[in-house]
Amino acid sequence: MDRSAVEASPWRAGMRVPEPEVTVYTPGRAPLLRVLWEGTQPVYSVIARQDLADGCTAYQVEVSTASG
């Protein structure tokens, strides 16, 4: 099973699928998500969770790709 992250398509008004259920987390009270990035696994706070009509779940995190 491939567990690679994929970018979720944004939902827009007028789409023929139901609007996702969105949970926005308060900074400091958000769940954490480990992300595999260039051989490391840093942990990031989840900004929002989107439960999509097709059963998929999308997590929004802010990932810093800067080194050093």
Side-chain angles (χ1 to χ4, degrees):
M1 174 182 196
D2 184 11
R3 297 181 60 168
S4 297
V6 294
E7 187 172 345
S9 299
W11 183 89
R12 292 185 179 92
M15 291 179 74
R16 295 180 183 212
V17 295
E19 184 174 356
E21 184 174 321
V22 178
T23 303
V24 178
Y25 296 101
T26 304
R29 298 184 56 102
L32 301 175
L33 183 67
R34 186 179 307 272
V35 178
L36 178 61
W37 177 258
E38 295 185 350
T40 64
Q41 293 185 350
V43 176
Y44 297 99
S45 292
V46 175
I47 297 169
R49 172 185 166 142
Q50 299 178 13
D51 294 304
L52 307 168
D54 64 1
C56 291
T57 302
Y59 296 94
Q60 181 180 352
V61 296
E62 185 174 343
V63 177
S64 172
T65 59
S67 60

